[in-house]
Amino acid sequence: MKNNIKQRRGFRFAPALVALVIGICAGGVYAAHAADAKGGDLGKLHASAGVACAMCHVDAKHPAPVPMEKCLGCHGDTRKLAEKTANVKPRNPHENRHYGTEADCNICHHQHKKSENFCLPCHQPFNFDVP
Amino acid sequence: MDQDTPQHEKEMDSYTQEVLERGVSRRSFLSRTALGAAGVGLLGVAGLGTKKAEAAQGTEALEFAKSSDGGATLSFLPKPNPISDKEIKTTLTFDVIVVGAGASGVPAALSAAENGAKVAVIQKHPMPISQGNTGSGIDLATSEKAGIEALVAKLMADNNHRCNPALLRQWAYNSGEAVRWVINRAKQAGSPVVDQGTGPQHGIAKVNGYTLNYVTSFFGPKPYTAGDGMRHLAKTAEKAGVKFFFNMPAQQLVQSKSGEVVGVIAKGRDGKYTKFLAKKGVILATGDYQNNEAMCNYFIPDLKHFGRKQMDRTGDGFAMAYWAGGVIEPIGHTKMLHDFDAGPASMCDMPFLAVNREGKRFVNETVDMSLFNNYLRDAKNAGHYSQIFDANYMTQAAKWPGKLVPPEGLKNYMPDDPSPKKGVFDSLINTHVADTLEELARKLEIDPKNFVASVKRYNEVVASGKDSDFGKPADRLIPVLQAPFYGIHRRVRVSTICSGILVNENHQALDADGKPIKGLYAIGNLGGGFYGGVDYPLTVFGLSLGRCYTFGYLTGKHVAKL
Ligand SMILES: Cc1cc2nc3c(=O)[nH]c(=O)nc-3n(C[C@H](O)[C@H](O)[C@H](O)COP(=O)(O)OP(=O)(O)OC[C@H]3O[C@@H](n4cnc5c(N)ncnc54)[C@H](O)[C@@H]3O)c2cc1C
């Protein structure tokens, strides 16, 4: 037992180190996002429509993660959305076997980086243009 | 160590002993690392002077998991941030909490409810989600005991003898009952599931001369799968009183001061937390971690370039069990990679000429499709290959094991053919026909020049009657000469990873001392000890789902009765 405690000590420094690394990464990620936003993605579209950062992120200086409910607050129920896209070919992207009509918007529609076609890696014929 | 060794550890089976010794757990790191060079090495890399290191010594517990030799920080297993009671929107109390509504979680929940427990299922997705069609069990009443033991021995060998035989036996002796129960309960909710019996298991109807019979649940045909099956089963479970909470990923376990797991905290779509308290136990059934890239790179780097068949399996259950003191099986996890969709499943193991993405032959084609991934791990091939045959395949391959689908039937797998498709996923079929080899190569997305050269060389080998390139038996050599030419472009992707958390025969997680963690259970692919080979064995067709159902059924019952 005594031995165990001694062994533990050797690694107590780890949190400090980890915090440092996270600090650096976080800085980098933030910078990258800021650059992308200027590149004309959905985040920019929102901003140009008068949606201020804080309307999604609560506090612009310390942006909180955005839960999907925020999207729905303005854009409405995803079931309605699925009805609107029912005739999109080759299939309705908003109703599928994996999530029904409740896929998280953010799996495809990104705000601060390029949006992606989440279906594509598995279903190669589903070549949607994702705004 | 000697005098500290608890009595039960001395009686431990060799599998458990091995995982305790080499698996990844909080304690294994803390006790093993600082001892020797590994610890010193890390200090050096960190560039921290002794003084700083000493200054940091006062800081409390580690933020990330560590590899068992202490050499790597496992960023994919971050320590959960404490969630204060203030942040909890609602607290709900049940007897049993099941985390994950898949092939093991839904049966566990229903089984617990049928045994009198008040049960909640917390599910990450908007509905129960699982995959696959076939799940299997042994029909005890009509199987010889020697046959059952012979099959267990065969599975041990398939697993490179790196599994816990007690868990294999538990599947063997309980799976018939469990799979039959799943079929019955899913039917109650209107599922078209059928028992295919021993039919699909003809290869193991006799093992070492002993007779076996099987219960084989088939949730199908596609697009109906075990996912739909679990949704049907969940309806039966709801009727039995199970409460489902969807869009609610579990975030962290709640532990008492003594370490007992007493609940789970989950996060809703509104970003708010709900605390679920469990009077009897928490059953983790969150599946594998195939979508956690860093975790895959650490435990099973072979998967780096392969596509994934599942989504949102980020190893949440692993992180939760790890921080509760559980032990993850050592590096070298078991993988399952298939493609049953591009062409007929019954032809996937037939030893036609196979070429990789460069159009080159790469393997003795008598190797099973489920093992081809080992030859296609590089970034370029990334699991892609094509099976090639010519107009005469129906006669020339007639005697091979497997089942040939005639040209008319192959159209069902051809995206370029206008015929309506049945029993397949339209977006995953990838079979082609062409009048020239060049055109076929184009359709299969392979280099035509290499391809034509490979076919020419293969035909020479066939004509010589001896496969001097790969040693395939002479009766598996048929030429590719007569148009039309056929190709099935398969792309094996990760179906699942089936290594997990160390558990005992009650599926209760063990800590690094080999002691059961009170209140914590792990089933399905999150549960360890059942496999161990490089690849998942296809000896028993549907073993994976069969095991998930069986251990869900048994664990639900066990925890409910506590
Ligand atoms: C395409 C495909 C075909 C297959 N075919 C077969 C077959 O025919 N026969 C066979 O035996 N096996 C087959 N398999 C393998 C088999 O499907 C799996 O081994 C089995 O589904 C695993 O069951 P599980 O309960 O461990 O996980 P899953 O069935 O994957 O369920 C895990 C559940 O946990 C949920 N979850 C994850 N994280 C959290 C969290 N933090 N909080 C709450 N919930 C969470 C997920 O939403 C998911 O629903 C196939 C696999 C694939 C991908």
Side-chain angles (χ1 to χ4, degrees), chain B residues 356-539:
Chain B
N356 63 17
R357 247 179 168 178
E358 287 176 277
K360 293 185 176 159
R361 201 175 168 211
F362 61 97
V363 70
N364 176 325
E365 294 90 349
T366 53
V367 167
D368 292 344
M369 178 265 273
S370 59
L371 307 178
F372 268 25
N373 71 84
N374 297 300
Y375 299 82
L376 302 162
R377 280 184 294 204
D378 59 293
K380 174 142 199 236
N381 284 306
H384 288 261
Y385 71 98
S386 293
Q387 292 179 282
I388 310 294
F389 41 93
D390 78 1
N392 298 318
Y393 74 99
M394 286 303 291
T395 46
Q396 293 189 325
K399 290 209 176 110
W400 292 357
K403 194 161 165 267
L404 291 169
V405 172
E408 204 44 41
L410 282 187
K411 287 184 180 162
N412 197 36
Y413 299 87
M414 293 183 183
D416 299 339
D417 189 279
S419 60
K421 311 299 183 208
K422 248 184 78 192
V424 295
F425 288 117
D426 291 15
S427 59
L428 300 178
I429 54 176
N430 209 358
T431 299
H432 300 275
V433 60
D435 287 327
T436 65
L437 290 174
E438 286 82 358
E439 195 198 343
L440 185 65
R442 194 181 49 74
K443 289 185 168 180
L444 298 173
E445 298 171 63
I446 49 183
D447 182 279
K449 229 173 98 218
N450 286 347
F451 179 60
V452 172
S454 297
V455 172
K456 184 166 168 268
R457 169 66 194 155
Y458 187 67
N459 286 337
E460 285 166 15
V461 161
V462 175
S464 79
K466 287 185 181 166
D467 182 4
S468 47
D469 291 349
F470 287 93
K472 193 160 64 167
D475 61 356
R476 298 291 184 262
L477 295 170
I478 59 171
V480 181
L481 287 170
Q482 193 180 325
F485 302 108
Y486 294 90
I488 303 174
H489 178 167
R490 296 199 191 260
R491 171 168 66 127
V492 294
R493 290 180 288 143
V494 180
S495 296
T496 197
I497 303 167
C498 33
S499 298
I501 297 287
L502 178 64
V503 293
N504 64 15
E505 285 166 61
N506 293 325
H507 305 275
Q508 189 167 4
L510 302 182
D511 69 13
D513 292 318
K515 288 203 208 85
I517 301 174
K518 237 180 145 203
L520 185 62
Y521 298 80
I523 53 172
N525 284 325
L526 181 65
F530 199 74
Y531 301 99
V534 173
D535 288 279
Y536 166 82
L538 272 180
T539 301

Side-chain angles (χ1 to χ4, degrees), chain B residues 203-255:
Chain B
I204 44 168
K206 283 219 182 296
V207 180
N208 296 352
Y210 306 115
T211 300
L212 286 138
N213 279 293
Y214 299 86
V215 182
T216 305
S217 60
F218 179 69
F219 286 100
K222 288 168 188 169
Y224 190 89
T225 68
D228 303 276
M230 291 306 106
R231 289 190 275 282
H232 271 124
L233 195 66
K235 282 191 189 150
T236 304
E238 269 181 325
K239 274 206 183 130
V242 175
K243 293 266 179 305
F244 283 84
F245 297 84
F246 296 116
N247 289 319
M248 272 248 172
Q251 306 287 305
Q252 54 184 263
L253 295 171
V254 184
Q255 277 177 288

Side-chain angles (χ1 to χ4, degrees), chain B residues 99-105 122-125 127-136 226 248-251 285-288 290 309-317 320 336 338 340-341 494-496 498 523-526 536 541-546 548:
Chain B
V99 182
S104 55
I122 309 171
Q123 164 69 341
K124 193 177 200 174
H125 282 106
M127 54 190 164
I129 290 282
S130 193
Q131 48 281 315
N133 300 107
T134 305
S136 53
M248 272 248 172
Q251 306 287 305
T286 50
D288 68 32
Q290 62 178 272
K309 289 198 178 192
Q310 299 188 45
M311 299 180 303
D312 309 307
R313 304 303 198 279
T314 40
D316 309 2
M320 286 188 272
M336 181 202 286
H338 297 141
F340 289 115
D341 296 303
V494 180
S495 296
T496 197
C498 33
I523 53 172
N525 284 325
L526 181 65
Y536 166 82
F541 202 55
L543 180 65
S544 180
L545 285 172
C548 289

Side-chain angles (χ1 to χ4, degrees), chain A residues 1 4 7 9 11-15 18 67-69 97-100 102 104 118 121-126, chain B residues 31 34 39 42-43 48 56-57 59 64 125 127 129 223 225 228 247 269-270 308 311-312 427-428 491 493:
Chain A
M1 228 16 235
N4 250 349
Q7 285 163 6
R9 286 237 166 96
F11 279 81
R12 287 273 170 84
F13 71 92
V18 162
M68 179 172 158
E69 219 174 50
R97 297 178 50 78
H98 307 289
Y99 301 102
E102 295 178 60
D104 194 312
F118 194 74
C122 298
H123 304 282
Q124 284 168 351
F126 298 172
Chain B
S31 61
L42 190 61
L43 279 170
L48 284 176
Q57 274 176 11
T59 324
F64 291 107
H125 282 106
M127 54 190 164
I129 290 282
T225 68
D228 303 276
N247 289 319
R269 279 248 148 122
D270 53 5
R308 304 296 201 256
M311 299 180 303
D312 309 307
S427 59
L428 300 178
R491 171 168 66 127
R493 290 180 288 143

